[in-house]
Amino acid sequence: MIDKIGKGQYMEEELSNDSSFYNSDTDPAVKKMDKEKRKSAFPTSTLGELCKIEKGETGIASATPGKYPLVNTSADRKSCSSYQFNTAAVCIPLVSSTGHGKKTLNYVHYQEGKFALGTILAAVIPRNPKVLSAAYLHRYLQFFKDKKIVPLMKGAANVSLAIKDIAGIKITVPPMREQISFVELFNKINISCRDLQDEFSNQSSYISSLRQAILQEAIEGKLTEKWRKQNPDLISGENHASKWLEKIRSKKEQMIKENKIKKEKPQPPISENEIPFNLPKGWVWCRVGGISLHSLGKMLDRSKNKGTHQKYLRNLNVRWFDFDLSDLLEMRFQTNEYEKCTARKGDLLICEGGYPGRAAIWNSDYAIYYQKAIHRVRFLEEEINKFFLYFLYLSKMTGYLDKYLTGSGIKHFTGQELHRFVLPLPSLLELRIIIKKIDSFLAAVNQLEKQTTEMKECSQLFMRSVMREAFER
């Protein structure tokens, strides 16, 4: 019977012959109860009273693969050559899913038949399957795990769960017919939920592809192809991007002469294998280092840092196109470090490590400090900032950025690689048109993404409401 309950099936004769079975559907007193009274009609018991609780005996890493499923902490089953149980059971991990002092539990498992159980899990097995269905118990504990199981976890670093604490968990036990009805309802909802999640996943994928296609068309000059044909004079002669590039470079040379910045080594010519696509007429390739000033922030060193405490940006605070300022940390900065270690309005901040390449433009009116793991890029023509940000994001999506990342394990976007990074450059007028088009198209895509996210959240809320209603009916 347990197997059939687990699959949402039910054999009428197996329960109708049991004199202890309570049929709430035929009891006129229960029918007249309102929702709260009906809820109180269901008894509450502890898992220790209703179930046997046994710790797993199989070492997950050392288990010999075989024909029996091996339940472990992850969603997927491993296999084992021997089995420990031959029944239906709810398997609860005894350790935190994330560790590091955090109380979390990703999964409560259901398993039936012959199976092995890892040593860091416990099997909860109903003593009387006609009183408590393992399938119902699994759905109940999975739904209430964050409320009834996670708070019982203890430990500072290695957070774990004791079997005696599992035994003390109280659950509501409705009549078996209601348990079976609930499992059937859960299975139907679960199928619908999976279908919805698949659809939302497909929509997210489409949105990501659409965003990439827009940026690809824009950065390669295809969105402004018609404009260039209609305005040939605006992309040639003094309006050619090469003329704008010369002015930018002259501006940098002037800053060197005035000792505002140090003289740099000449940059090598851009080779063919560095160019990811062919440029349209009126455009040129250039290196980021030739048209900008960039530097890393301050190293976090509590033993050496002096000055007053100031809030600063670190990698975690830099998101794509925006900043998360909810958890800014502080370190000491001296007055003479203000110019070198702060970003002002219009500066582009790029992650050097952790999330190499992730970037956003600082648009606040006040300056903010930043640490050494972040590049501050200040283009000599500020309007290039946003164009480069879009190109950087596209480079991340297409994998082009990977050519500039260093390190065999943990990747970094070093200052040297940023300096030689190759950027397509249109004329200033065309750049402005491109930015305007990208902003407009991406605003529509972002709105579509927001609607999809809201629909996903609504579907999840609806599913949870249906489940809660089923448990509390």
Side-chain angles (χ1 to χ4, degrees):
M1 183 182 71
I2 297 300
D3 289 356
K4 293 177 181 179
I5 291 175
K7 297 173 183 175
Q9 298 173 347
Y10 168 61
M11 291 186 68
E12 179 69 29
E13 61 272 19
E14 293 192 29
L15 291 182
S16 61
N17 293 331
D18 182 3
S19 60
S20 64
F21 176 67
Y22 172 65
N23 189 345
S24 62
D25 293 334
T26 59
D27 190 328
V30 174
K31 279 187 175 182
K32 293 180 181 180
M33 289 180 180
D34 61 20
K35 183 178 178 180
E36 285 302 312
K37 289 182 179 179
R38 181 168 178 162
K39 179 181 175 183
S40 65
F42 298 158
T44 300
S45 300
T46 65
L47 290 183
E49 294 169 336
L50 296 169
C51 306
K52 296 183 294 182
I53 305 175
E54 296 184 32
K55 192 172 181 293
E57 299 177 349
T58 305
I60 296 174
S62 59
T64 302
K67 64 179 181 178
Y68 302 107
L70 169 58
V71 182
N72 58 96
T73 56
S74 65
D76 298 327
R77 301 289 189 266
K78 295 182 180 294
S79 69
C80 188
S81 58
S82 59
Y83 66 91
Q84 181 182 354
F85 300 99
N86 184 12
T87 186
V90 178
C91 303
I92 303 176
L94 300 175
V95 295
S96 172
S97 299
T98 53
H100 306 296
K102 295 182 180 179
K103 297 180 179 182
T104 57
L105 190 62
N106 290 340
Y107 304 104
V108 173
H109 303 285
Y110 174 81
Q111 189 63 49
E112 56 188 30
K114 296 178 179 179
F115 67 94
L117 184 65
T119 55
I120 53 175
L121 297 96
V124 183
I125 306 168
R127 300 179 190 276
N128 187 348
K130 294 183 179 180
V131 173
L132 178 63
S133 155
Y136 166 80
L137 179 61
H138 168 246
R139 275 67 170 187
Y140 184 94
L141 292 178
Q142 177 67 24
F143 185 77
F144 288 115
K145 63 182 175 64
D146 293 328
K147 180 179 180 181
K148 292 182 175 287
I149 303 178
V150 172
L152 301 176
M153 292 181 163
K154 299 174 183 177
N158 300 318
V159 180
S160 60
L161 182 65
I163 288 180
K164 64 180 180 63
D165 290 330
I166 295 176
I169 295 174
K170 291 183 178 181
I171 65 167
T172 300
V173 187
M176 183 54 67
R177 187 184 300 280
E178 300 240 4
Q179 293 182 40
I180 294 168
S181 296
F182 169 76
V183 172
E184 291 174 345
L185 174 64
F186 177 91
N187 290 342
K188 291 177 182 178
I189 292 176
N190 202 36
I191 292 172
S192 299
C193 186
R194 283 202 305 266
D195 290 342
L196 278 173
Q197 294 305 313
D198 289 343
E199 180 59 30
F200 289 133
S201 178
N202 289 336
Q203 289 184 18
S204 296
S205 179
Y206 297 150
I207 290 171
S208 179
S209 297
L210 179 58
R211 186 178 282 116
Q212 180 176 333
I214 290 170
L215 290 174
Q216 194 85 48
E217 294 284 298
I219 297 299
E220 293 184 8
K222 294 177 181 177
L223 288 184
T224 46
E225 185 175 6
K226 184 178 179 180
W227 176 87
R228 286 194 304 276
K229 290 180 179 179
Q230 294 173 342
N231 302 278
D233 295 340
L234 297 180
I235 60 170
S236 60
E238 289 299 315
N239 292 318
H240 196 279
S242 60
K243 297 297 183 179
W244 188 30
L245 181 59
E246 288 176 7
K247 293 178 182 178
I248 297 172
R249 287 172 174 169
S250 297
K251 186 182 293 188
K252 190 167 188 178
E253 289 173 2
Q254 184 62 34
M255 294 178 73
I256 295 172
K257 288 180 181 179
E258 296 173 356
N259 294 320
K260 292 181 179 179
I261 58 174
K262 294 181 179 180
K263 187 176 181 178
E264 301 169 346
K265 293 181 180 179
Q267 293 182 315
I270 297 173
S271 61
E272 287 294 327
N273 60 4
E274 292 181 276
I275 298 174
F277 54 84
N278 294 325
L279 289 179
K281 290 182 179 180
W283 292 40
V284 292
W285 288 104
C286 61
R287 295 191 188 277
V288 169
I291 59 174
S292 71
L293 306 176
H294 62 87
S295 62
L296 291 170
K298 184 174 182 178
M299 173 72 76
L300 177 61
D301 190 338
R302 291 183 176 86
S303 63
K304 295 181 180 180
N305 290 343
K306 298 179 182 180
T308 58
H309 284 93
Q310 302 288 344
K311 294 184 183 299
Y312 69 94
L313 296 172
R314 62 194 198 279
N315 278 337
L316 288 175
N317 302 121
V318 182
R319 321 305 296 180
W320 276 114
F321 305 104
D322 202 359
F323 297 90
D324 179 3
L325 306 180
S326 62
D327 62 341
L328 293 178
L329 301 183
E330 293 186 354
M331 68 170 152
R332 292 179 182 272
F333 290 88
Q334 293 179 291
T335 304
N336 60 2
E337 294 174 314
Y338 178 83
E339 181 60 32
K340 180 181 183 298
C341 300
T342 59
R344 68 190 186 200
K345 188 172 184 177
D347 285 343
L348 181 64
L349 296 172
I350 306 173
C351 293
E352 188 271 345
Y355 310 90
R358 194 165 70 183
I361 296 173
W362 184 253
N363 281 319
S364 297
D365 292 328
Y366 62 91
I368 190 165
Y369 288 91
Y370 63 100
Q371 71 167 161
K372 193 174 182 179
I374 296 175
H375 296 288
R376 181 194 66 187
V377 182
R378 188 172 290 166
F379 284 93
L380 298 173
E381 288 287 346
E382 190 174 306
E383 289 179 272
I384 300 177
N385 279 358
K386 200 167 190 180
F387 184 79
F388 178 61
L389 175 58
Y390 281 137
F391 180 56
L392 196 60
Y393 183 61
L394 176 64
S395 299
K396 180 65 176 178
M397 297 176 79
T398 60
Y400 176 70
L401 178 63
D402 294 342
K403 295 172 59 176
Y404 293 89
L405 302 184
T406 62
S408 56
I410 301 176
K411 299 294 185 180
H412 290 270
F413 189 25
T414 66
Q416 181 179 351
E417 293 302 304
L418 173 63
H419 198 74
R420 76 177 190 89
F421 195 91
V422 174
L423 169 70
L425 187 68
S427 66
L428 176 57
L429 183 56
E430 187 170 355
L431 180 141
R432 289 171 176 169
I433 295 171
I434 290 171
I435 292 297
K436 188 175 181 179
K437 285 180 175 291
I438 293 177
D439 287 345
S440 176
F441 288 145
L442 290 191
V445 173
N446 292 340
Q447 183 62 30
L448 179 61
E449 186 175 49
K450 180 182 178 182
Q451 292 173 357
T452 300
T453 301
E454 289 174 350
M455 289 172 61
K456 182 178 180 180
E457 291 173 351
C458 286
S459 71
Q460 292 171 341
L461 285 172
F462 172 73
M463 294 301 178
R464 284 196 292 268
S465 298
V466 172
M467 295 295 289
R468 185 173 286 107
E469 177 70 18
F471 277 124
E472 296 178 353
R473 59 184 176 170

